[in-house]
Amino acid sequence: MAENIKTAAIVLAAGSGSRMHSDIKKQYMEINKRPLIYYALKAFEDSFTDEIVLVVSPGDIDYCKTEIVDKYGFTKVKRIVEGGKERYDSVRLGLHGVSKDADYVMIHDGARPFVTEDIMRRSIDAAIEHRACVVGMPVKDTIKISDSDGFAADTPDRKLLWMVQTPQTFDYKLILSLYDQLELRKEEIKEKGISITDDAMVVETFSDIKVKLVEGSYNNIKITTPEDIGFAEAILGKCEV
């Protein structure tokens, strides 16, 4: 990784976690006696990352400052901002919370507790070379594309398919300008039936820059359902051996 560059991380923790079927928001559910969001923040806190912007649900700023950031001593969390209605709204608000002298920004789902510094370094290196990258892993299973009636319509070449993860890492000024374009044109995008589901799609939609795929880890799972809690505890158990 090049020297004298400033890196920031946006950690997204503004989701409702409805698939958890719990009264506790997913990001605050405990895994091995720590809230889920602790693990992603800890990974960035202990890394080369210069600053962290934590994006939380409306009304959660004070709670997160007291019960997460201050309690666990996350000194690199420079700002806590409220998220918006959609994920892309939350990312844009987080981007505007990043220091303007940042060179590169990693956008990470707080529900992915097992991001590592090696993954971060690979993503930053790729962003320096290509301006935009996402981490992910090649799929292990055969994938079928279905038709509208639920029948198999096509089988894409498995060698070309990746499961996309986070962080997704970009030249900061580039991704900030593209998210601002999205904000101005999001009604147009909706009318065209385009659904923006990750940060790479913003680059793909509003620029001609190619997004580089970089290897993450099969352990870099996203905690989405109650079953995932058990997987996470098993991974943590292996890490502690």
Side-chain angles (χ1 to χ4, degrees), residues 99-234:
S99 296
K100 299 310 176 187
D101 61 346
D103 297 301
Y104 297 94
V105 61
M106 296 173 280
I107 303 170
H108 186 68
D109 291 327
R112 291 187 187 272
F114 302 116
V115 61
T116 66
E117 185 162 4
D118 284 344
I119 292 173
M120 297 175 205
R121 286 188 182 278
R122 289 197 293 272
S123 70
I124 289 289
D125 286 342
I128 291 171
E129 184 174 357
H130 303 285
R131 303 189 72 195
C133 83
V134 300
V135 302
M137 294 299 290
V139 300
K140 296 180 178 180
D141 301 318
T142 296
I143 303 296
K144 296 286 185 183
I145 298 174
S146 72
D147 63 18
S148 58
D149 295 318
F151 291 94
D154 194 13
T155 306
D157 186 348
R158 184 172 63 186
K159 295 192 297 292
L160 303 177
L161 299 177
W162 283 57
M163 301 181 296
V164 172
Q165 305 172 345
T166 65
Q168 301 194 3
T169 305
F170 307 91
D171 176 290
Y172 172 62
K173 291 181 175 60
L174 168 70
I175 196 66
L176 177 63
S177 68
L178 295 180
Y179 261 99
D180 283 344
Q181 283 190 50
L182 171 60
E183 175 64 16
L184 294 173
R185 297 174 59 188
K186 62 184 179 182
E187 292 305 319
E188 172 192 338
I189 294 300
K190 287 180 182 178
E191 289 174 3
K192 290 182 177 179
I194 300 173
S195 178
I196 302 291
T197 56
D198 76 342
D199 310 298
M201 285 190 68
V202 178
V203 177
E204 294 159 2
T205 302
F206 295 105
S207 81
D208 58 2
I209 294 171
K210 289 187 176 182
V211 179
K212 180 68 173 176
L213 293 168
V214 178
E215 186 173 296
S217 167
Y218 288 115
N219 281 348
N220 189 24
I221 63 172
K222 185 176 183 180
I223 308 302
T224 303
T225 66
E227 292 78 14
D228 295 330
I229 298 290
F231 296 145
E233 289 174 342

